[in-house]
Protein backbone atom coordinates (compact mmCIF):
# COMPACT_ATOMS: atom_id res chain seq x y z
CA UNK A 1 0.00 0.00 0.00
CA UNK A 2 1.34 3.39 -0.98
CA UNK A 3 0.37 4.99 2.33
CA UNK A 4 2.40 2.46 4.30
CA UNK A 5 5.42 2.85 2.00
CA UNK A 6 5.34 6.65 2.40
CA UNK A 7 5.06 6.48 6.20
CA UNK A 8 7.90 3.96 6.37
CA UNK A 9 10.03 6.23 4.17
CA UNK A 10 9.42 9.21 6.47
CA UNK A 11 11.09 7.35 9.35
CA UNK A 12 14.37 7.00 7.44
CA UNK A 13 14.26 10.22 5.40
CA UNK A 14 12.66 12.85 7.66
CA UNK A 15 14.01 15.86 5.77
CA UNK A 16 10.87 15.94 3.55
CA UNK A 17 8.29 15.22 6.26
CA UNK A 18 7.37 18.88 6.72
CA UNK A 19 6.98 19.42 2.98
CA UNK A 20 4.82 16.31 2.62
CA UNK A 21 2.37 17.31 5.36
CA UNK A 22 2.08 20.88 4.11
CA UNK A 23 -1.55 21.28 2.86
CA UNK A 24 -2.13 17.54 3.37
CA UNK A 25 -5.36 17.07 5.37
CA UNK A 26 -5.98 14.30 7.85
CA UNK A 27 -8.74 12.87 5.65
CA UNK A 28 -6.36 11.43 3.06
CA UNK A 29 -4.98 8.93 5.59
CA UNK A 30 -6.58 5.77 6.86
CA UNK A 31 -7.31 5.74 10.63
CA UNK A 32 -4.26 3.58 11.36
CA UNK A 33 -2.11 5.58 8.97
CA UNK A 34 -3.08 8.86 10.61
CA UNK A 35 -2.04 7.60 14.06
CA UNK A 36 1.44 6.95 12.73
CA UNK A 37 1.52 10.14 10.64
CA UNK A 38 0.55 12.23 13.67
CA UNK A 39 3.29 10.61 15.76
CA UNK A 40 5.87 11.31 13.03
CA UNK A 41 4.86 14.98 12.88
CA UNK A 42 5.18 15.37 16.64
CA UNK A 43 8.66 13.83 16.61
CA UNK A 44 9.63 16.19 13.75
CA UNK A 45 13.32 15.83 12.79
CA UNK A 46 14.03 13.54 15.73
CA UNK A 47 12.01 10.77 14.15
CA UNK A 48 13.60 7.33 13.98
CA UNK A 49 12.30 3.79 14.26
CA UNK A 50 13.29 3.72 17.93
CA UNK A 51 11.65 7.04 18.79
CA UNK A 52 8.50 6.16 16.86
CA UNK A 53 8.12 2.80 18.59
CA UNK A 54 8.43 4.54 21.94
CA UNK A 55 5.36 6.74 21.30
CA UNK A 56 3.06 4.35 19.41
CA UNK A 57 0.49 2.32 21.30
CA UNK A 58 0.94 -1.43 21.65
CA UNK A 59 -2.25 -1.89 19.66
CA UNK A 60 -0.94 -0.14 16.58
CA UNK A 61 2.52 -1.72 16.88
CA UNK A 62 0.99 -5.20 16.94
CA UNK A 63 -1.51 -4.50 14.17
CA UNK A 64 -1.38 -6.08 10.73
CA UNK A 65 -1.22 -2.56 9.27
CA UNK A 66 2.05 -1.77 11.05
CA UNK A 67 3.59 -5.13 10.16
CA UNK A 68 2.76 -4.51 6.50
CA UNK A 69 4.28 -1.04 6.83
CA UNK A 70 7.55 -2.54 8.04
CA UNK A 71 7.56 -4.91 5.06
CA UNK A 72 7.68 -2.05 2.55
CA UNK A 73 10.93 -0.65 1.13
CA UNK A 74 11.72 2.95 2.21
CA UNK A 75 11.97 5.37 -0.70
CA UNK A 76 14.03 8.57 -0.25
CA UNK A 77 11.95 10.16 -3.03
CA UNK A 78 8.57 9.63 -1.37
CA UNK A 79 7.79 13.35 -1.68
CA UNK A 80 7.47 12.84 -5.44
CA UNK A 81 4.68 10.32 -4.74
CA UNK A 82 2.52 12.89 -2.95
CA UNK A 83 0.43 13.57 -6.05
CA UNK A 84 -0.18 9.84 -6.54
CA UNK A 85 -1.19 9.55 -2.88
CA UNK A 86 -3.78 12.31 -3.35
CA UNK A 87 -5.00 10.65 -6.51
CA UNK A 88 -5.59 7.38 -4.66
CA UNK A 89 -7.61 9.24 -2.04
CA UNK A 90 -9.75 10.98 -4.66
CA UNK A 91 -10.38 7.67 -6.42
CA UNK A 92 -11.46 6.07 -3.13
CA UNK A 93 -13.75 9.02 -2.48
CA UNK A 94 -15.19 8.75 -5.97
CA UNK A 95 -15.81 5.03 -5.55
CA UNK A 96 -17.55 5.65 -2.23
CA UNK A 97 -19.80 8.28 -3.75
CA UNK A 98 -20.63 5.97 -6.63
CA UNK A 99 -21.59 3.18 -4.24
CA UNK A 100 -23.81 5.53 -2.22
CA UNK A 101 -25.60 6.59 -5.39
CA UNK A 102 -26.10 2.98 -6.49
CA UNK A 103 -27.47 2.03 -3.10
CA UNK A 104 -29.87 4.99 -3.17
CA UNK A 105 -31.06 4.06 -6.66
CA UNK A 106 -31.65 0.46 -5.58
CA UNK A 107 -33.82 1.72 -2.70
CA UNK A 108 -35.61 4.24 -4.95
CA UNK A 109 -34.30 7.11 -2.83
CA UNK A 110 -33.48 10.50 -4.38
CA UNK A 111 -30.35 12.00 -2.86
CA UNK A 112 -29.15 15.58 -2.81
CA UNK A 113 -26.11 15.22 -5.05
CA UNK A 114 -24.51 18.40 -3.70
CA UNK A 115 -24.40 17.00 -0.17
CA UNK A 116 -22.50 13.97 -1.44
CA UNK A 117 -19.83 15.94 -3.20
CA UNK A 118 -16.52 16.44 -1.46
CA UNK A 119 -14.06 18.96 -2.82
CA UNK A 120 -11.07 17.51 -4.60
CA UNK A 121 -7.85 18.01 -2.70
CA UNK A 122 -5.71 20.90 -3.78
CA UNK A 123 -2.59 18.90 -4.59
CA UNK A 124 -0.49 21.67 -6.12
CA UNK A 125 -0.01 25.39 -5.77
CA UNK A 126 0.80 27.33 -8.91
CA UNK A 127 2.82 30.51 -9.33
CA UNK A 128 2.39 32.94 -12.19
CA UNK A 129 5.30 34.57 -14.00
CA UNK A 130 5.46 37.57 -11.66
CA UNK A 131 5.44 35.37 -8.54
CA UNK A 132 8.22 33.17 -9.92
CA UNK A 133 10.24 36.26 -10.81
CA UNK A 134 9.90 37.62 -7.27
CA UNK A 135 10.75 34.22 -5.80
CA UNK A 136 13.94 33.89 -7.87
CA UNK A 137 14.97 37.47 -7.10
CA UNK A 138 14.59 36.93 -3.35
CA UNK A 139 16.21 33.49 -3.25
CA UNK A 140 19.85 33.54 -2.10
CA UNK A 141 22.40 32.66 -4.75
CA UNK A 142 23.92 29.20 -4.53
CA UNK A 143 27.48 29.42 -3.19
CA UNK A 144 30.44 28.08 -5.18
CA UNK A 145 33.45 26.08 -4.12
CA UNK A 146 36.70 26.13 -6.06
CA UNK A 147 38.20 22.81 -7.10
CA UNK A 148 41.75 24.21 -7.05
CA UNK A 149 42.32 22.73 -10.54
CA UNK A 150 42.71 25.53 -13.08
CA UNK A 151 41.02 23.91 -16.07
CA UNK A 152 38.06 22.78 -13.95
CA UNK A 153 37.46 26.13 -12.30
CA UNK A 154 37.73 27.84 -15.69
CA UNK A 155 35.10 25.52 -17.11
CA UNK A 156 32.67 26.16 -14.26
CA UNK A 157 33.21 29.91 -14.03
CA UNK A 158 35.17 29.91 -10.82
CA UNK A 159 33.96 26.75 -9.07
CA UNK A 160 31.14 24.28 -8.50
CA UNK A 161 27.71 25.48 -7.41
CA UNK A 162 26.24 23.69 -4.43
CA UNK A 163 23.04 21.68 -4.69
CA UNK A 164 24.29 19.44 -7.50
CA UNK A 165 25.27 15.86 -8.30
CA UNK A 166 28.35 15.46 -10.51
CA UNK A 167 29.25 12.16 -12.17
CA UNK A 168 32.88 11.34 -12.97
CA UNK A 169 33.30 8.64 -15.62
CA UNK A 170 36.27 7.55 -17.70
CA UNK A 171 38.46 4.90 -19.23
CA UNK A 172 39.79 2.14 -16.96
CA UNK A 173 42.85 3.36 -15.04
CA UNK A 174 42.49 6.85 -16.53
CA UNK A 175 42.42 8.48 -13.09
CA UNK A 176 38.77 8.90 -12.06
CA UNK A 177 39.53 8.34 -8.40
CA UNK A 178 42.66 10.48 -8.60
CA UNK A 179 40.69 13.40 -10.05
CA UNK A 180 37.98 13.12 -7.40
CA UNK A 181 40.54 12.82 -4.60
CA UNK A 182 42.49 15.80 -5.90
CA UNK A 183 39.32 17.91 -5.90
CA UNK A 184 38.30 17.10 -2.33
CA UNK A 185 41.86 17.41 -1.04
CA UNK A 186 42.09 20.87 -2.57
CA UNK A 187 38.71 21.88 -1.12
CA UNK A 188 39.73 20.45 2.27
CA UNK A 189 42.39 23.13 2.56
CA UNK A 190 39.54 25.42 3.62
CA UNK A 191 36.33 23.39 3.98
CA UNK A 192 35.24 20.05 5.43
CA UNK A 193 34.72 17.22 2.92
CA UNK A 194 33.47 13.64 3.03
CA UNK A 195 35.14 10.76 1.18
CA UNK A 196 33.37 7.40 0.78
CA UNK A 197 36.40 5.34 -0.27
CA UNK A 198 34.70 2.06 -1.12
CA UNK A 199 37.10 1.01 -3.89
CA UNK A 200 40.18 0.66 -1.68
CA UNK A 201 41.03 0.47 2.01
CA UNK A 202 41.63 3.44 4.25
CA UNK A 203 45.09 1.99 4.99
CA UNK A 204 46.09 2.19 1.31
CA UNK A 205 44.79 5.75 1.04
CA UNK A 206 46.66 6.83 4.17
CA UNK A 207 49.85 5.18 2.91
CA UNK A 208 49.61 7.00 -0.41
CA UNK A 209 49.07 10.35 1.33
CA UNK A 210 51.88 9.76 3.82
CA UNK A 211 54.48 9.83 1.04
CA UNK A 212 52.76 12.50 -1.05
CA UNK A 213 54.58 15.67 -2.03
CA UNK A 214 51.48 17.82 -1.63
CA UNK A 215 50.08 18.71 1.77
CA UNK A 216 46.49 18.06 2.82
CA UNK A 217 44.41 19.34 5.70
CA UNK A 218 43.98 16.13 7.68
CA UNK A 219 41.38 17.61 10.03
CA UNK A 220 38.94 18.45 7.23
CA UNK A 221 38.73 15.08 5.43
CA UNK A 222 36.17 12.65 6.86
CA UNK A 223 36.61 9.11 5.49
CA UNK A 224 33.94 6.38 5.40
CA UNK A 225 34.64 2.89 4.08
CA UNK A 226 31.70 0.79 5.30
CA UNK A 227 27.88 0.59 4.94
CA UNK A 228 27.63 0.39 1.18
CA UNK A 229 23.82 0.41 0.85
CA UNK A 230 22.29 3.60 -0.52
CA UNK A 231 20.12 4.26 2.53
CA UNK A 232 23.13 4.10 4.88
CA UNK A 233 25.09 6.39 2.56
CA UNK A 234 22.25 8.92 2.62
CA UNK A 235 22.09 8.77 6.41
CA UNK A 236 25.88 9.16 6.71
CA UNK A 237 25.83 12.18 4.42
CA UNK A 238 23.12 13.74 6.59
CA UNK A 239 25.16 13.06 9.72
CA UNK A 240 28.26 14.65 8.18
CA UNK A 241 26.16 17.57 6.95
CA UNK A 242 25.34 18.32 10.59
CA UNK A 243 29.11 18.49 11.21
CA UNK A 244 29.47 21.15 8.52
CA UNK A 245 30.47 18.95 5.56
CA UNK A 246 29.14 20.27 2.25
CA UNK A 247 31.22 18.44 -0.39
CA UNK A 248 31.27 14.66 -0.85
CA UNK A 249 33.06 12.12 -3.06
CA UNK A 250 31.70 8.58 -3.44
CA UNK A 251 33.94 5.96 -5.07
CA UNK A 252 32.10 4.32 -6.72
CA UNK A 253 28.70 3.50 -8.25
CA UNK A 254 29.33 -0.24 -8.53
CA UNK A 255 30.12 -0.55 -4.82
CA UNK A 256 26.79 0.93 -3.76
CA UNK A 257 24.00 -1.56 -3.13
CA UNK A 258 20.28 -0.80 -3.41
CA UNK A 259 17.11 -2.74 -2.59
CA UNK A 260 16.11 -5.45 -5.04
CA UNK A 261 13.68 -4.07 -7.61
CA UNK A 262 11.92 -5.38 -10.69
CA UNK A 263 15.02 -4.93 -12.83
CA UNK A 264 18.59 -3.64 -12.84
CA UNK A 265 17.56 -0.26 -14.28
CA UNK A 266 15.36 0.45 -11.25
CA UNK A 267 18.00 -0.71 -8.77
CA UNK A 268 20.75 1.42 -10.33
CA UNK A 269 18.52 4.45 -10.88
CA UNK A 270 17.57 4.53 -7.20
CA UNK A 271 21.20 5.38 -6.37
CA UNK A 272 21.20 8.46 -8.59
CA UNK A 273 17.69 9.57 -7.63
CA UNK A 274 18.55 9.39 -3.93
CA UNK A 275 21.82 11.31 -4.24
CA UNK A 276 20.45 13.97 -6.61
CA UNK A 277 17.47 14.57 -4.34
CA UNK A 278 19.75 14.80 -1.32
CA UNK A 279 22.10 17.27 -3.03
CA UNK A 280 19.19 19.52 -3.99
CA UNK A 281 17.41 19.37 -0.63
CA UNK A 282 20.51 19.98 1.53
CA UNK A 283 22.31 22.34 -0.86
CA UNK A 284 25.46 20.20 -0.99
CA UNK A 285 27.81 19.04 -3.77
CA UNK A 286 28.13 15.29 -4.35
CA UNK A 287 30.63 13.70 -6.73
CA UNK A 288 29.95 10.09 -7.71
CA UNK A 289 32.46 8.05 -9.69
CA UNK A 290 30.58 5.89 -12.19
CA UNK A 291 31.32 3.11 -14.62
CA UNK A 292 30.24 3.12 -18.27
CA UNK A 293 30.16 0.45 -20.95
CA UNK A 294 32.14 0.43 -24.21
CA UNK A 295 28.89 0.75 -26.15
CA UNK A 296 27.52 3.66 -24.12
CA UNK A 297 30.01 6.14 -22.67
CA UNK A 298 27.38 8.79 -21.97
CA UNK A 299 25.29 6.96 -19.35
CA UNK A 300 26.25 5.23 -16.10
CA UNK A 301 26.24 1.47 -16.36
CA UNK A 302 22.76 0.04 -15.86
CA UNK A 303 20.92 3.37 -15.60
CA UNK A 304 20.13 5.80 -18.40
CA UNK A 305 18.16 7.79 -15.85
CA UNK A 306 21.36 8.29 -13.86
CA UNK A 307 22.66 10.71 -16.48
CA UNK A 308 19.37 12.59 -16.36
CA UNK A 309 19.53 12.99 -12.57
CA UNK A 310 23.04 14.50 -12.63
CA UNK A 311 23.65 18.22 -13.08
CA UNK A 312 27.22 17.72 -14.30
CA UNK A 313 28.96 14.83 -16.05
CA UNK A 314 32.72 14.87 -16.69
CA UNK A 315 34.89 12.18 -18.21
CA UNK A 316 38.59 11.29 -18.20
CA UNK A 317 40.06 9.42 -21.19
CA UNK A 318 43.54 8.23 -22.08
CA UNK A 319 45.54 10.37 -24.53
CA UNK A 320 47.23 8.85 -27.54
CA UNK A 321 50.99 8.47 -27.42
CA UNK A 322 53.05 11.15 -29.19
CA UNK A 323 54.51 9.70 -32.36
CA UNK A 324 57.56 11.97 -32.20
CA UNK A 325 58.51 10.61 -28.79
CA UNK A 326 60.85 7.74 -29.66
CA UNK A 327 61.05 6.41 -26.11
CA UNK A 328 57.29 6.13 -25.78
CA UNK A 329 56.58 4.97 -29.32
CA UNK A 330 54.57 1.79 -29.27
CA UNK A 331 53.03 2.52 -25.88
CA UNK A 332 49.25 2.44 -25.72
CA UNK A 333 48.79 5.79 -23.98
CA UNK A 334 50.68 8.93 -23.08
CA UNK A 335 51.41 8.59 -19.35
CA UNK A 336 51.72 12.36 -18.92
CA UNK A 337 48.42 13.44 -20.46
CA UNK A 338 44.69 12.77 -20.43
CA UNK A 339 41.66 14.08 -22.25
CA UNK A 340 39.14 15.89 -20.05
CA UNK A 341 35.57 16.05 -21.36
CA UNK A 342 32.54 17.91 -20.07
CA UNK A 343 29.58 15.82 -21.23
CA UNK A 344 26.80 17.62 -19.34
CA UNK A 345 26.85 20.99 -17.65
CA UNK A 346 23.66 22.48 -16.24
CA UNK A 347 25.72 25.06 -14.34
CA UNK A 348 27.26 27.03 -17.20
CA UNK A 349 26.22 25.12 -20.33
CA UNK A 350 29.84 24.72 -21.45
CA UNK A 351 30.77 21.44 -23.16
CA UNK A 352 34.24 20.73 -24.47
CA UNK A 353 37.17 18.35 -24.71
CA UNK A 354 40.69 19.44 -23.80
CA UNK A 355 44.01 17.76 -23.28
CA UNK A 356 45.31 18.11 -19.72
CA UNK A 357 48.42 17.06 -17.89
CA UNK A 358 48.74 14.10 -15.56
CA UNK A 359 51.78 13.55 -13.38
CA UNK A 360 52.39 9.78 -12.94
CA UNK A 361 54.55 10.41 -9.86
CA UNK A 362 52.17 12.65 -7.90
CA UNK A 363 48.98 11.29 -9.57
CA UNK A 364 47.76 14.87 -9.99
CA UNK A 365 45.99 16.62 -12.86
CA UNK A 366 46.83 20.09 -14.11
CA UNK A 367 46.72 22.28 -17.18
CA UNK A 368 49.04 20.72 -19.75
CA UNK A 369 51.65 23.44 -19.64
CA UNK A 370 52.11 22.96 -15.89
CA UNK A 371 51.83 19.17 -15.78
CA UNK A 372 55.39 18.64 -14.58
CA UNK A 373 55.47 21.53 -12.13
CA UNK A 374 55.76 20.67 -8.42
CA UNK A 375 52.75 21.04 -6.16
CA UNK A 376 52.54 24.48 -4.61
CA UNK A 377 51.48 24.86 -1.00
CA UNK A 378 49.06 27.77 -0.66
CA UNK A 379 50.02 30.72 1.47
CA UNK A 380 47.54 32.49 3.77
CA UNK A 381 46.43 35.00 1.12
CA UNK A 382 45.61 32.21 -1.36
CA UNK A 383 43.70 30.25 1.28
CA UNK A 384 41.58 33.31 2.05
CA UNK A 385 40.98 33.75 -1.68
CA UNK A 386 39.64 30.19 -1.99
CA UNK A 387 37.48 30.67 1.11
CA UNK A 388 35.62 33.49 -0.65
CA UNK A 389 34.55 31.04 -3.33
CA UNK A 390 31.94 29.30 -1.17
Amino acid sequence: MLEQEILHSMIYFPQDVESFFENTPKEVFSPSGWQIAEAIQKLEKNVSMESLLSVLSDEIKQSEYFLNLLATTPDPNYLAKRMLFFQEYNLRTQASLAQNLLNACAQNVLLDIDTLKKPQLESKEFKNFREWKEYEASRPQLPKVKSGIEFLDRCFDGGFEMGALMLISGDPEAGKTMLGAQIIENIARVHKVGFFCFEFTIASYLKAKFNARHKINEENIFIINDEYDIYSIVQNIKALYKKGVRVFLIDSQMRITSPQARNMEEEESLKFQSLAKLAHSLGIFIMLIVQTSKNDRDNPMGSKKGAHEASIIVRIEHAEVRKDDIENFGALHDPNARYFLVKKNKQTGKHFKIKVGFNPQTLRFSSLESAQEPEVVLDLEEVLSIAKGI
Side-chain angles (χ1 to χ4, degrees):
M1 186 177 181
L2 180 60
E3 178 184 86
Q4 291 158 315
E5 178 191 328
I6 289 173
L7 291 172
H8 197 194
S9 302
M10 288 179 178
I11 300 170
Y12 291 94
F13 308 103
Q15 75 273 8
D16 290 325
V17 167
E18 184 177 351
S19 298
F20 189 93
F21 283 114
E22 185 177 357
N23 297 323
T24 302
K26 172 182 177 180
E27 289 74 21
V28 300
F29 290 92
S30 67
S32 296
W34 178 247
Q35 289 185 55
I36 298 172
E38 194 172 30
I40 290 174
Q41 289 184 83
K42 289 179 179 177
L43 290 169
E44 295 183 339
K45 294 184 179 180
N46 294 320
V47 65
S48 66
M49 184 58 72
E50 292 74 16
S51 62
L52 182 63
L53 289 174
S54 68
V55 298
L56 291 178
S57 67
D58 290 338
E59 181 182 0
I60 191 68
K61 286 188 288 188
Q62 296 168 8
S63 67
E64 183 179 354
Y65 179 92
F66 191 68
L67 293 176
N68 289 335
L69 179 151
L70 296 177
T72 64
T73 301
D75 182 358
N77 299 304
Y78 64 88
L79 186 61
K81 296 182 178 180
R82 187 169 180 261
M83 301 285 287
L84 182 59
F85 184 53
F86 284 177
Q87 182 179 338
E88 283 193 356
Y89 167 78
N90 286 327
L91 287 173
R92 290 197 307 271
T93 302
Q94 181 176 285
S96 177
L97 291 174
Q99 189 61 52
N100 289 339
L101 289 170
L102 288 173
N103 292 339
C105 290
Q107 298 173 17
N108 202 29
V109 174
L110 185 63
L111 296 177
D112 182 358
I113 302 298
D114 290 334
T115 62
L116 289 175
K117 290 180 180 178
K118 290 186 178 180
Q120 293 268 311
L121 291 172
E122 293 293 333
S123 57
K124 186 175 180 64
E125 295 183 2
F126 296 94
K127 291 185 179 73
N128 60 31
F129 184 91
R130 179 185 58 78
E131 291 170 332
W132 273 116
K133 184 178 177 181
E134 292 174 353
Y135 171 78
E136 289 296 322
S138 62
R139 189 176 67 168
Q141 293 294 313
L142 289 172
K144 284 185 178 181
V145 58
K146 291 186 177 182
S147 72
I149 303 176
E150 190 272 338
F151 63 83
L152 264 178
D153 290 334
R154 185 174 69 247
C155 168
F156 294 101
D157 289 349
F160 300 120
E161 287 182 355
M162 308 302 280
L165 170 65
M166 181 174 86
L167 307 184
I168 303 175
S169 70
D171 292 337
E173 307 299 323
K176 300 183 290 293
T177 300
M178 297 303 102
L179 177 64
Q182 184 176 347
I183 293 172
I184 62 167
E185 287 166 10
N186 285 349
I187 295 173
R189 292 167 174 166
V190 180
H191 307 289
K192 296 178 180 179
V193 299
F195 182 18
F196 292 80
C197 62
F198 297 153
E199 289 291 344
F200 50 87
T201 65
I202 290 182
S204 61
Y205 178 67
L206 295 178
K207 182 179 179 181
K209 296 301 118 179
F210 183 79
N211 297 317
R213 294 167 59 188
H214 55 276
K215 303 297 182 182
I216 62 175
N217 188 334
E218 299 176 357
E219 298 293 329
N220 277 356
I221 301 180
F222 293 83
I223 306 174
I224 306 93
N225 74 334
D226 56 3
E227 297 182 304
Y228 293 1
D229 66 280
I230 185 60
Y231 297 129
S232 294
I233 292 171
V234 168
Q235 291 302 111
N236 284 331
I237 288 177
K238 291 178 183 177
L240 288 171
Y241 175 82
K242 293 178 181 179
K243 293 180 177 289
V245 181
R246 298 294 182 268
V247 179
F248 300 86
L249 170 66
I250 305 174
D251 186 16
S252 69
Q253 169 201 354
M254 301 308 289
R255 288 288 186 180
I256 301 175
T257 60
S258 56
Q260 185 174 0
R262 289 175 295 182
N263 52 56
M264 181 181 178
E265 174 72 25
E266 285 191 2
E267 290 184 20
E268 289 300 311
S269 294
L270 176 62
K271 304 174 186 179
F272 300 96
Q273 292 168 357
S274 303
L275 295 174
K277 173 66 177 177
L278 193 62
H280 295 320
S281 63
L282 295 182
I284 59 180
F285 190 73
I286 300 177
M287 294 175 284
L288 173 62
I289 295 174
V290 300
Q291 284 70 37
T292 58
S293 67
K294 292 181 180 179
N295 298 327
D296 185 1
R297 295 188 173 188
D298 294 328
N299 296 292
M301 192 172 291
S303 175
K304 290 186 179 296
K305 192 172 183 180
H308 172 76
E309 294 287 348
S311 297
I312 300 170
I313 301 177
V314 300
R315 183 174 176 82
I316 296 293
E317 294 182 354
H318 289 292
E320 72 279 2
V321 68
R322 294 168 294 181
K323 293 184 179 180
D324 59 345
D325 189 336
I326 303 300
E327 293 182 359
N328 287 335
F329 186 78
L332 292 177
H333 311 295
D334 184 349
N336 298 306
R338 299 288 191 271
Y339 282 114
F340 175 76
L341 298 82
V342 179
K343 308 285 286 185
K344 182 180 181 180
N345 186 354
K346 284 188 175 181
Q347 181 174 317
T348 66
K350 296 178 181 178
H351 298 77
F352 60 82
K353 176 179 180 180
I354 59 172
K355 199 171 185 178
V356 300
F358 180 75
N359 190 316
Q361 283 71 49
T362 63
L363 304 179
R364 310 282 281 183
F365 289 86
S366 64
S367 296
L368 193 58
E369 60 273 13
S370 60
Q372 303 303 323
E373 292 181 2
E375 190 74 21
V376 177
V377 179
L378 296 183
D379 59 24
L380 178 60
E381 184 177 347
E382 290 172 310
V383 169
L384 294 176
S385 175
I386 289 181
K388 295 178 181 178
I390 188 171

